[in-house]
């Protein structure tokens, strides 16, 4: 039987019902199967379990490519709006522009027809795109308004955009980078997913760290960790270059005796609409086959995955179903998590919840989630030898009892700090605080008009470029 290397069981306390249930409206651009989507669904479910009324608005939801809770017959009120005028991309490009336009389309649609007003929201929960925050403040932020805006920042988008190799790409990104920071300024409360992300946000936008409300008090950025829960399916890291498995795959292969009893499984969220996902999957297959001389296979569904030959050494699983992911973790001996400076990283928590030790890069979110020597190991991403040593130790040097003890440590750690109950309590506390406090001091309608004025030339220039390319 092969051992898989794949990227407490106590009783979970039931959350205490909120003494003052609120109506909370979420805005998320695309309900796919990534970590951000998993967090939004978990947050909505956690708050709903406390008695709050939850509505989620999104511009995209594919019932065949989303988590079970996001499906039309799921437990949440999810409404798809703002998707009929602007596409998700233009010729596979300009995703940020299209995402912002779709968000504004969504907001205008539900405001003009009175849909949002009928919900009578107490709190708006916005994440990923902050461009629409000033619009919400203007529409629902008059004197005496009790509605508040909470913005959840997964990580600054301006730092996720890596390709700024030419001056015109930097110029193109400037208005969007500015809009991101300005939009976050309009939120009454900013919450992030880790201490690492908080430090980065405060470094990128120092003014947010000293942000004052109308009471002239500084409102500190809050931290609400994502959760994992035994009733929710696992998410997967995406097939993106920034989540490269560089410490484990581009190295000298393990000796044949080890490879005969082990298999490296790379399971990632794969969206064929995203060119980077397709390109990087191809790159990894080529790397494993031509550089390392390993036998590989790719499975895109359960049937294919269950019929993989025993001699396959590297198996790529693209957007596998929840049940298969659960099975993988139940049979795995180690989870290898390779992203560096990851803002949080939900996958290590899912592995520890399943009793699987974790090997992760010693940077970013895993520094807050993986306990060295207790629930797993943290190693330098550039030192291939260290990663190889840990993997060989797990496969050959550690007994099943040692693996079990480390797995039990992980279960207890996740239950104590990253459970759905813990997340519900933290979120409820942040919402209660933002409702009890005064609104943030920020220019609203004038800034909104300024932002529109800046966006118009960008849109005009974009369509001129497209027109010239097509004629």
């Amino acid at each position: 039987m092969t051992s898989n290397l794949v990227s407490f069981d106590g009783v979970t306390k039931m959350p205490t019902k909120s003494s003052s249930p609120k109506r909370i409206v979420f805005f998320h651009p695309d309900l796919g199967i990534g970590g951000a989507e998993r967090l939004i669904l978990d947050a909505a479910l956690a708050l709903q379990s406390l008695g709050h009324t939850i509505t989620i608005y999104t511009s995209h939801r594919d019932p065949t490519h989303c988590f079970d809770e996001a499906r039309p017959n799921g437990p949440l009120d999810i409404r798809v709006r703002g998707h009929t005028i602007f596409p998700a991309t233009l010729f596979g490009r300009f995703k940020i522009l299209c995402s912002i336009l779709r968000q504004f389309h969504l907001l205008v649609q539900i405001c003009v027809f009175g849909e949002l007003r009928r919900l009578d929201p107490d709190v708006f929960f916005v994440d990923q795109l902050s461009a629409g925050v000033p619009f919400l403040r203007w529409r629902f932020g008059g004197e005496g308004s009790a509605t508040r805006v909470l913005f959840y920042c997964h990580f600054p988008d301006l730092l996720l955009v890596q390709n700024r190799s030419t001056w015109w790409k930097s110029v193109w990104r400037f208005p969007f980078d500015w809009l991101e920071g300005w939009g976050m300024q309009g939120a009454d409360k900013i919450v992030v997913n880790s201490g690492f992300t908080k430090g980065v946000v405060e470094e990128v936008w120092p003014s947010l760290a000293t942000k004052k409300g109308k009471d002239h008090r500084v409102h500190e950025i809050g931290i609400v960790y994502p959760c994992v829960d035994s009733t929710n399916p696992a998410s997967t890291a995406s097939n993106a270059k920034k989540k490269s498995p560089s410490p484990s795959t581009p190295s000298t292969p393990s000796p044949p005796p080890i490879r005969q009893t082990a298999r490296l499984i790379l399971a990632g969220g794969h969206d064929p609409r995203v060119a980077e996902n397709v390109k990087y999957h191809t790159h990894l297959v080529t790397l494993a086959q031509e550089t390392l001389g390993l036998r590989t296979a790719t499975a895109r569904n359960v049937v294919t995955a269950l019929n993989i030959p025993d001699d396959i050494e590297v198996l790529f699983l693209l957007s596998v179903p929840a049940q298969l992911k659960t099975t993988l973790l139940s049979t795995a001996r180690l989870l290898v998590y390779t992203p560096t400076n990851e803002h949080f990283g939900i996958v290590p928590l899912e592995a520890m919840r399943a009793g699987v030790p974790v090997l992760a890069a010693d940077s970013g979110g895993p520094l807050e989630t993986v306990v060295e020597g207790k629930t797993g190991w943290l190693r330098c991403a550039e030192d291939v030898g260290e990663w190889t040593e840990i993997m060989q130790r797990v496969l050959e040097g550690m007994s099943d009892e040692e693996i079990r003890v480390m797995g039990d440590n992980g279960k207890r750690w996740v239950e104590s700090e990253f459970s759905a109950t813990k997340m519900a309590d933290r979120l409820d506390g942040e919402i209660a605080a933002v409702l009890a406090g005064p609104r943030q001091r920020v220019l609203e309608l004038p800034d909104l008009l300024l932002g529109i004025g800046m966006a118009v030339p960008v849109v005009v220039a974009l369509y001129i470029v497209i027109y010239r390319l097509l004629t």
Side-chain angles (χ1 to χ4, degrees):
M1 179 177 180
T2 61
S3 298
N4 291 334
L5 290 174
V6 300
S7 9
F8 87 14
D9 276 349
V11 177
T12 302
K13 296 180 179 179
M14 295 300 294
T16 304
K17 293 287 184 179
S18 175
S19 59
S20 179
K22 303 299 181 184
R23 294 172 293 278
I24 305 172
V25 176
F26 283 68
F27 294 96
H28 184 78
D30 187 336
L31 281 176
I33 59 170
E37 289 71 47
R38 182 69 265 166
L39 183 143
I40 289 302
L41 294 173
D42 287 337
L45 290 167
L47 291 171
Q48 188 167 269
S49 72
L50 298 179
H52 300 295
T53 301
I54 305 297
T55 303
I56 300 178
Y57 282 103
T58 182
S59 294
H60 179 80
R61 176 190 58 183
D62 180 353
T64 67
H65 191 76
C66 65
F67 292 109
D68 292 341
E69 297 89 342
R71 300 187 192 281
N73 60 346
L76 294 166
D77 177 12
I78 299 177
R79 308 182 185 187
V80 182
R81 304 286 189 272
H83 61 295
T84 57
I85 297 179
F86 303 103
T89 64
L90 289 172
F91 310 106
R93 298 178 177 272
F94 311 112
K95 182 177 180 180
I96 181 63
L97 174 62
C98 292
S99 296
I100 292 173
L101 292 175
R102 284 160 72 92
Q103 185 181 63
F104 277 114
H105 177 202
L106 184 155
L107 292 174
V108 170
Q109 180 181 350
I110 62 178
C111 286
V112 168
F113 293 100
E115 182 178 347
L116 189 57
R117 180 66 69 180
R118 287 192 294 272
L119 292 176
D120 191 21
D122 296 299
V123 177
F124 295 120
F125 190 114
V126 186
D127 81 306
Q128 285 196 332
L129 283 177
S130 62
V133 170
F135 182 92
L136 290 170
R137 284 186 60 98
W138 169 60
R139 188 68 179 82
F140 290 85
E143 283 297 324
S145 173
T147 307
R148 298 290 186 266
V149 181
L150 184 149
F151 184 78
Y152 193 102
C153 178
H154 303 275
F155 201 73
D157 184 67
L158 67 87
L159 296 181
L160 294 176
V161 179
Q162 301 172 355
N163 188 3
R164 299 173 187 253
S165 56
T166 60
W167 66 267
W168 61 269
K169 288 183 178 180
S170 297
V171 171
W172 164 256
R173 279 295 310 188
F174 175 78
F176 303 114
D177 295 343
W178 174 84
L179 190 60
E180 181 181 15
W182 169 60
M184 290 175 66
Q185 285 279 1
D188 296 293
K189 179 68 176 181
I190 297 173
V191 178
V192 296
N193 55 13
S194 67
F196 173 74
T197 299
K198 178 181 177 180
V200 172
V201 169
E202 292 176 342
E203 182 177 350
V204 173
W205 298 293
S207 59
L208 295 180
T210 57
K211 196 163 176 254
K212 294 183 178 180
K214 294 184 178 181
D215 57 354
H216 301 283
R217 294 172 53 193
V218 174
H219 292 249
E220 185 178 358
I221 296 175
I223 299 175
V224 175
Y225 290 117
C227 76
V228 289
D229 185 72
S230 59
T231 61
N232 289 334
S235 63
T236 53
S238 64
N239 278 327
K241 188 174 182 180
K242 67 187 180 67
K243 296 181 184 287
S244 164
S246 54
S248 57
T249 50
S251 60
T252 303
S254 300
I258 297 179
R259 298 212 308 270
Q260 290 175 2
T261 58
R263 173 181 290 161
L264 176 64
I265 298 178
L266 284 84
H270 184 86
D271 189 341
R273 299 175 303 157
V274 180
E276 184 186 29
N277 285 187
V278 178
K279 180 180 178 180
Y280 207 63
H281 168 241
T282 303
H283 166 73
L284 291 176
V285 171
T286 302
L287 178 67
Q289 292 178 346
E290 299 182 5
T291 303
L292 300 177
L294 300 173
R295 292 182 294 275
T296 72
T298 296
R300 292 176 170 82
N301 54 58
V302 177
V303 175
T304 306
L306 294 177
N307 289 279
I308 296 298
D310 291 338
D311 63 347
I312 294 298
E313 297 165 299
V314 180
L315 173 61
F316 295 90
L317 298 179
L318 308 183
S319 302
V320 294
Q323 188 57 49
L324 180 55
K325 285 179 273 188
T326 300
T327 301
L328 285 173
L329 288 175
S330 70
T331 60
R333 196 167 177 88
L334 177 70
L335 181 130
V336 182
Y337 191 70
T338 61
T340 56
N341 292 319
E342 180 71 3
H343 40 278
F344 182 73
I346 195 69
V347 176
L349 291 183
E350 292 169 339
M352 289 185 284
R353 179 196 64 190
V356 181
V358 175
L359 171 59
D362 60 351
S363 63
L367 290 173
E368 301 173 55
T369 59
V370 179
V371 183
E372 172 65 32
K374 299 295 184 181
T375 68
W377 302 269
L378 297 164
R379 294 294 182 267
C380 174
E382 304 302 322
D383 194 330
V384 175
E386 289 190 352
W387 289 68
T388 302
E389 186 273 328
I390 293 297
M391 286 189 275
Q392 290 182 337
R393 186 197 307 179
V394 170
L395 290 174
E396 290 191 315
M398 295 181 67
S399 67
D400 292 343
E401 178 61 18
E402 289 175 312
I403 294 294
R404 186 193 64 78
V405 169
M406 184 168 279
D408 288 344
N409 290 340
K411 290 179 180 180
R412 287 190 292 270
W413 170 242
V414 170
E415 179 67 21
S416 65
E417 294 298 325
F418 304 101
S419 67
T421 302
K422 199 80 170 182
M423 184 185 191
D425 291 342
R426 288 168 176 159
L427 276 174
D428 197 47
E430 294 289 355
I431 288 174
V434 74
L435 287 171
R439 294 196 69 93
Q440 293 296 296
R441 300 173 61 191
V442 62
L443 294 176
E444 296 167 356
L445 182 57
D447 279 352
L448 179 66
L449 296 176
L450 175 62
I452 294 174
M454 292 184 66
V456 167
V458 174
V459 174
V460 171
L462 172 63
Y463 278 97
I464 290 174
V465 171
I466 295 172
Y467 176 80
R468 288 183 177 179
L469 288 174
L470 297 177
T471 58

